[in-house]
Amino acid sequence: IVADTIGLCDTEWNDQQVLNLIKNRVESNIKYIDVVYIVFRADRLLQNYINNIKKVLNWLNFNEKKDTDLRFVFVATYSDYLD
């Protein structure tokens, strides 16, 4: 099952409303999460996008220093010409 959620920063809703929508969608449709893909546009990665990604990671108990069964994949689009 793939749960494609609303984007973190590409709506007219505020950040908390978007995060709540994502949480509700995932919690109501999925019993077990195997992989989380976080797709972001690398050529316009603004601080509020980073903050929202961190909120999602925190909600999912992401900790880069601890082993977990949950895998995270970060996909940067529009990164062809970045240094």
Side-chain angles (χ1 to χ4, degrees):
I1 296 172
V2 175
D4 185 10
T5 64
I6 189 170
L8 289 172
C9 297
D10 54 351
T11 72
E12 294 181 9
W13 295 326
N14 68 44
D15 293 346
Q16 193 57 50
Q17 288 172 311
V18 172
L19 288 171
N20 287 339
L21 284 170
I22 291 171
K23 289 177 184 181
N24 290 337
R25 167 95 187 230
V26 171
E27 290 172 349
S28 65
N29 291 303
I30 299 174
K31 294 181 186 209
Y32 176 78
I33 299 174
D34 184 43
V35 179
V36 175
Y37 285 86
I38 296 186
V39 182
F40 59 93
R41 191 169 167 162
D43 66 340
R44 63 175 184 159
L45 189 57
L46 304 175
Q47 188 60 48
N48 65 321
Y49 297 177
I50 295 168
N51 293 340
N52 286 337
I53 290 170
K54 287 180 179 180
K55 289 176 185 175
V56 169
L57 293 176
N58 185 46
W59 167 60
L60 294 169
N61 297 318
F62 173 78
N63 185 334
E64 62 190 50
K65 296 176 185 171
K66 292 183 181 179
D67 287 336
T68 178
D69 291 336
L70 184 58
R71 295 175 287 166
F72 291 85
V73 178
F74 297 86
V75 180
T77 63
Y78 294 90
S79 59
D80 300 351
Y81 301 104
L82 296 179
D83 294 338

